[in-house]
């Protein structure tokens, strides 16, 4: 292998690693903003995590009917804006991502998959536990990795009693 070929190979590997990091940062920022989704959420930033022609869709029996398919960054932003009300739709909302797989398969195209656990308490006081499989296509648009096709499929969903209690934490003394 020539020195120039070796340098190009290293540059490609470095770009893949940096791309994986940028993709991870994109999905984590999305989840963070969704955790605090209320009237103060920066909607432009949230919508900007998606490509201009992105698709956000619920798939599978439960989520297809609940969420449907939304096409385009503006429409995705409008869907998110429905949650940005006072009082906030969510009194507590926490997303946990596990089982990560990111595959950069072209200079500007990648796929990612996660299992997501979501714990929510709504303004009504009801609480819910959801698990979903996320399958996301990413595209590098204007030099920034963004979500191009976000798919969420429910694995299980159930109401729960409540998440937080004022009781002291049991710690050894």
């Amino acid at each position: 292998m020539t020195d120039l070929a070796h340098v190009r190979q290293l540059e490609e590997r470095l770009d893949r690693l940096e791309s994986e990091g940028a993709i991870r940062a994109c999905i984590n920022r999305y989840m963070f903003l969704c955790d605090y989704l209320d009237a103060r959420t920066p909607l432009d930033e949230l919508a900007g995590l998606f490509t201009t022609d992105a698709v956000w869709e619920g798939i599978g029996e439960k989520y297809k009917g609940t969420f449907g398919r939304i096409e385009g960054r503006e429409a995705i932003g409008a869907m998110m804006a429905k949650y940005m009300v006072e009082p906030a739709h969510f009194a507590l909302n926490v997303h946990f991502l596990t089982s990560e797989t990111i595959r950069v398969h072209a200079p500007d195209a990648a796929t990612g998959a996660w299992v997501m656990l979501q714990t929510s308490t709504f303004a009504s006081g009801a609480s819910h536990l959801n698990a979903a499989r996320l399958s996301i296509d990413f595209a590098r648009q204007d030099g920034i990795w963004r979500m191009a096709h976000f798919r969420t499929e429910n694995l299980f969903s159930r109401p729960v009693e409540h998440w937080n209690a004022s009781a002291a934490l049991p710690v050894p003394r």
Side-chain angles (χ1 to χ4, degrees):
M1 177 180 296
T2 67
D3 287 343
L4 184 57
H6 185 67
V7 168
R8 285 191 180 140
Q9 183 184 50
L10 289 174
E11 287 174 339
E12 288 173 5
R13 289 176 61 198
L14 178 59
D15 183 62
R16 269 196 315 275
L17 289 171
E18 289 178 342
S19 293
E20 289 174 8
I23 288 164
R24 192 173 292 113
C26 177
I27 189 64
N28 280 296
R29 186 64 182 159
Y30 173 78
M31 292 300 166
F32 178 84
L33 291 172
C34 288
D35 284 349
Y36 295 97
L37 199 56
D38 63 20
R40 297 177 306 268
T41 301
L43 183 58
D44 288 345
E45 180 185 358
L46 181 58
L49 296 171
F50 293 88
T51 61
T52 54
D53 60 347
V55 173
W56 192 107
E57 75 177 311
I59 59 173
E61 184 179 330
K62 187 171 217 150
Y63 279 4
K64 184 176 184 177
T66 301
F67 296 115
R69 179 183 171 98
I70 298 98
E71 297 183 19
R73 180 189 287 163
E74 286 186 25
I76 293 167
M79 182 264 295
M80 295 292 178
K82 292 178 184 176
Y83 293 89
M84 299 169 64
V85 296
E86 286 295 335
H89 176 73
F90 295 105
L92 169 76
N93 198 30
V94 182
H95 293 82
F96 303 87
L97 295 178
T98 71
S99 305
E100 175 182 89
T101 303
I102 297 173
R103 183 175 164 263
V104 179
H105 49 83
D108 294 327
T111 55
W114 291 265
V115 173
M116 178 191 76
L117 184 67
Q118 180 181 2
T119 57
S120 303
T121 297
F122 305 99
S124 67
S127 293
H128 220 87
L129 175 64
N130 294 302
R133 187 168 313 282
L134 304 180
S135 301
I136 306 171
D137 297 336
F138 291 85
R140 189 168 9 202
Q141 190 175 66
D142 303 321
I144 299 170
W145 283 101
R146 303 173 197 272
M147 292 179 276
H149 193 165
F150 183 101
R151 293 178 284 303
T152 179
E153 180 179 15
N154 183 265
L155 298 174
F156 69 82
S157 181
R158 61 162 296 169
V160 295
E161 189 72 23
H162 63 277
W163 292 113
N164 201 9
S166 59
L169 293 174
V171 295
R173 301 251 182 234

